[in-house]
Amino acid sequence: MPFGDEVAEQGWCTGAVVPQGMLPVIAQHLTRPGAAAVEVAADHWLVVVSQTCDVVARTLEAEPFVEILHCKPIKKPRAQYRDFRSTRILDFRPNRETHEAVALSAHAVADRYLVPRELFRDQPPDPDRHLSGEAAQRIMAWYALRAGRPSWPDAFVKRIDKDTEDALEAAIEPLKEDIAEVRLGIVEKDDELGDDQSYHVAVYFVVDAEIWEGDVEGRAAINAAFATFVSKLNECDGIEVDQNLSEVVSGDEFTWQETRATDEWNFANLSHRE
Amino acid sequence: MSDTIEARFYNAQRATLLQRRPSTIIDAAESSHPAVPMQFYGGGETHLIGSYRMGTKLTGARTVLIVDTDVLLATSAIPTVSVEDFDADSWSRWSKASKEAFQKATAAAKAAPSAAARLRVERLAALQAALGLSTSNLAQALGLSRPGLYKWLDASSDVKLQGASRERLAAVERIAKQWRERTTAPLSSVSNEPLADGRTVLSMMVADQFDEATVVGAFDELLAKLAGKPKTRSQKLAEAGFKRRPSAKSLPSDE
């Protein structure tokens, strides 16, 4: 039987949790160079965050390691770390069905370890703990966001103060239903400007084509959100919203070229100032 | 709570009667809006501890009450001080923080959009939802410049709709309402389609003067054109079973 099939047969996949019984075997891999081994308490979750296809890759040589995230319990997800607000720390609920009251927290890099994959061939994951599909999707999206977020200039980010950030977030609350995406173009996206210079931005609310064609109420909510978002952003000292370009536009009309010239607005894009 | 909180409030002028008046707060109150300093009796003395505005939400100074050991209502903006520690230094610190909070709250109250401004933005959003016009075209339809429309869309902007503007907005709203009663698709889907007389409905609407009845009268023809429009690529994809992936944003919040 190929190596990957043996691992798969044990039940390892994204979101599986390392059982307590495996700790002695993998403890030596939960270390940092020059640092003592990490302590893993019984209520900590060691979660597999490699993609399932990598966890069960056919040959060991193809994928020699499994990525493990060491998650520690917290009282409840904190506002600044939940729902992709930070690309450094994620607070999340691992499984609302099986562990309703449990909330966990992990640092994207400091709590991530590489464990040799051969150690997963002989033992199954924890039978009582595993991430829900949503939680697993959240962690993968979090890592993708961390790697893929645009690097906006510090001088730009600093011009959006906390109050404005909160106001912007409140403005786009209606968009959480995935009915539209906020995209931002910044002319000086690679430049750290001085206080006497302004960043010039264009804002697009790209609306799902079905909503655009068939949901008047949805469009009204999006247009109201756009108005608030643009006026709040324009109030920031040193940020000028280009009112000739900014638009609410159907997803059927927003082109690939325009996508490449803009970044998706995400509050995680502002989080590097933490 | 071991001391008495007096439910008596003094206006700024009368506050001068108090021996421990924090002049900074009073000055700020008098220079901006009528504010009501609040006093309490504790530790054997009367203290002026803050000010607030009637009928508005001033989250700074308004919600502060200091009592002997308990804090009834406090904001994060203002440090709370127990009476035991209520010495001159802490009063000075507290007074400074109160002033800052007061000024911030006053500024926020000033910047908060009025009900009329919010209504204006909602009307425009509803209008845009029905028409789906570009910002430029909507601005033209309303007889505005593009920056002028953005000003209308800014709830913090105190725009007074003048007679002609108000009438034009009302007329465009009536057209939008008529269109919306007929279809959920935005008018922009067919606003550039030539009508039988060669004109487009967009050209009618952006003209300096437009005839509302003529525009509405064109709707049946436009609806026929809408029904005959070829499917978009995304519609064809959806019909063939290709659905877009939900984004991570659609995951339920972990709040």
Side-chain angles (χ1 to χ4, degrees), chain A residues 27-193:
Chain A
Q28 61 175 307
H29 302 288
L30 305 180
T31 59
R32 296 264 166 257
V38 171
E39 285 187 26
V40 181
D43 60 350
H44 292 190
W45 293 44
L46 291 172
V47 178
V48 172
V49 293
S50 295
Q51 293 263 19
T52 298
C53 58
D54 297 330
V55 175
V56 301
R58 189 176 175 83
T59 64
L60 181 60
E61 294 72 29
E63 290 287 346
F65 295 100
V66 173
E67 295 162 277
I68 298 288
L69 190 65
H70 180 197
C71 306
K72 282 149 268 186
I74 53 173
K75 208 170 174 183
K76 64 176 187 177
R78 294 161 291 184
Q80 70 271 35
Y81 297 132
R82 67 171 185 245
D83 300 335
F84 309 112
R85 288 299 299 262
S86 166
T87 52
R88 297 200 173 106
I89 296 170
L90 180 68
D91 288 2
F92 66 104
R93 297 194 181 278
N95 195 321
R96 289 172 188 272
E97 286 186 13
T98 62
H99 293 76
E100 189 184 359
V102 175
L104 300 173
S105 182
H107 190 284
V109 175
D111 291 322
R112 187 157 70 152
Y113 299 94
L114 298 178
V115 176
R117 195 157 63 106
E118 59 263 35
L119 300 179
F120 295 80
R121 179 172 49 189
D122 301 325
Q123 296 195 55
D126 191 322
D128 300 321
R129 298 186 297 176
H130 60 87
L131 295 194
S132 66
E134 278 174 1
Q137 192 186 341
R138 190 184 302 279
I139 287 186
M140 303 315 284
W142 176 54
Y143 272 117
L145 183 63
R146 180 180 168 87
R149 71 187 155 152
S151 177
W152 287 345
D154 279 344
F156 173 77
V157 171
K158 280 178 188 163
R159 295 174 192 200
I160 302 171
D161 64 27
K162 189 70 179 69
D163 288 346
T164 303
E165 188 181 334
D166 290 345
L168 294 172
E169 185 172 21
I172 60 174
E173 177 73 23
L175 275 52
K176 281 197 170 166
E177 298 300 319
D178 212 13
I179 57 177
E181 179 173 291
V182 180
R183 299 199 67 85
L184 190 78
I186 307 173
V187 174
E188 304 85 358
K189 63 178 180 294
D190 298 320
D191 304 326
E192 295 289 347
L193 299 183

Side-chain angles (χ1 to χ4, degrees), chain A residues 206-224:
Chain A
V206 185
V207 183
D208 176 82
E210 280 184 33
I211 302 289
W212 182 266
E213 290 297 329
D215 182 351
V216 185
E217 299 298 332
R219 293 201 303 270
I222 293 165
N223 277 291

Side-chain angles (χ1 to χ4, degrees), chain B residues 78-137:
Chain B
I78 299 181
T80 54
V81 189
S82 68
V83 168
E84 288 84 3
D85 303 324
F86 205 65
D87 56 22
D89 281 349
S90 59
W91 172 257
S92 173
R93 277 187 281 110
W94 186 86
S95 177
K96 183 171 180 288
S98 295
K99 178 190 173 188
E100 288 168 359
F102 183 87
Q103 288 172 333
K104 189 176 177 185
T106 304
K110 278 182 177 174
S114 66
R118 285 199 304 274
L119 178 63
R120 185 186 70 227
V121 172
E122 282 170 18
R123 283 174 71 182
L124 289 168
L127 195 59
Q128 263 298 52
L131 302 179
L133 298 176
S134 68
T135 307
S136 295
N137 286 336

Side-chain angles (χ1 to χ4, degrees), chain B residues 3-245:
Chain B
D3 279 319
T4 308
I5 294 177
E6 289 191 323
R8 289 188 291 136
F9 303 111
Y10 291 79
N11 62 30
Q13 286 72 32
R14 289 186 62 190
T16 55
L17 297 172
L18 298 170
Q19 296 301 304
R20 285 176 167 272
R21 187 184 78 155
S23 58
T24 50
I25 295 177
I26 303 302
D27 290 344
E30 289 184 334
S31 65
S32 51
H33 295 281
V36 184
M38 183 187 297
Q39 71 161 358
F40 83 105
Y41 180 80
E45 290 183 279
T46 300
H47 303 279
L48 183 64
I49 60 164
S51 64
Y52 77 111
R53 278 179 65 201
M54 298 290 285
T56 58
K57 280 187 178 179
L58 282 188
T59 54
R62 178 193 178 195
T63 55
V64 177
L65 288 175
I66 305 171
V67 297
D68 187 8
T69 53
D70 301 319
V71 176
L72 285 187
L73 295 164
T75 69
S76 58
I78 299 181
T80 54
V81 189
S82 68
V83 168
E84 288 84 3
D85 303 324
F86 205 65
D87 56 22
D89 281 349
S90 59
W91 172 257
S92 173
R93 277 187 281 110
W94 186 86
S95 177
K96 183 171 180 288
S98 295
K99 178 190 173 188
E100 288 168 359
F102 183 87
Q103 288 172 333
K104 189 176 177 185
T106 304
K110 278 182 177 174
S114 66
R118 285 199 304 274
L119 178 63
R120 185 186 70 227
V121 172
E122 282 170 18
R123 283 174 71 182
L124 289 168
L127 195 59
Q128 263 298 52
L131 302 179
L133 298 176
S134 68
T135 307
S136 295
N137 286 336
L138 181 65
Q140 285 179 290
L142 293 172
L144 298 168
S145 64
R146 203 173 154 119
L149 176 56
Y150 271 103
K151 204 168 178 186
W152 278 26
L153 285 167
D154 183 352
S156 65
S157 171
D158 190 23
V159 180
K160 296 274 188 296
L161 299 186
Q162 301 302 322
S165 298
R166 197 164 53 225
E167 284 168 24
R168 183 97 182 195
L169 173 61
V172 176
E173 277 183 317
R174 284 192 295 272
I175 289 172
K177 183 169 180 283
Q178 294 273 345
W179 178 257
R180 189 178 162 167
E181 284 172 1
R182 288 168 165 82
T183 177
T184 57
L187 179 62
S188 61
S189 302
V190 285
S191 59
N192 277 315
E193 297 283 334
L195 297 163
D197 64 3
R199 293 187 297 170
T200 67
V201 76
L202 181 62
S203 68
M204 292 182 210
M205 289 180 68
V206 300
D208 289 342
Q209 301 288 330
F210 71 83
D211 179 10
E212 222 176 301
T214 309
V215 173
V216 174
F219 281 179
D220 286 341
E221 192 179 343
L222 290 175
L223 287 169
K225 288 181 181 295
L226 187 64
K229 278 193 80 172
K231 289 188 171 66
T232 64
R233 186 178 287 115
S234 66
Q235 286 171 330
K236 289 178 194 168
L237 279 168
E239 284 178 9
F242 296 94
K243 304 291 184 194
R244 73 181 174 98
R245 284 183 204 278

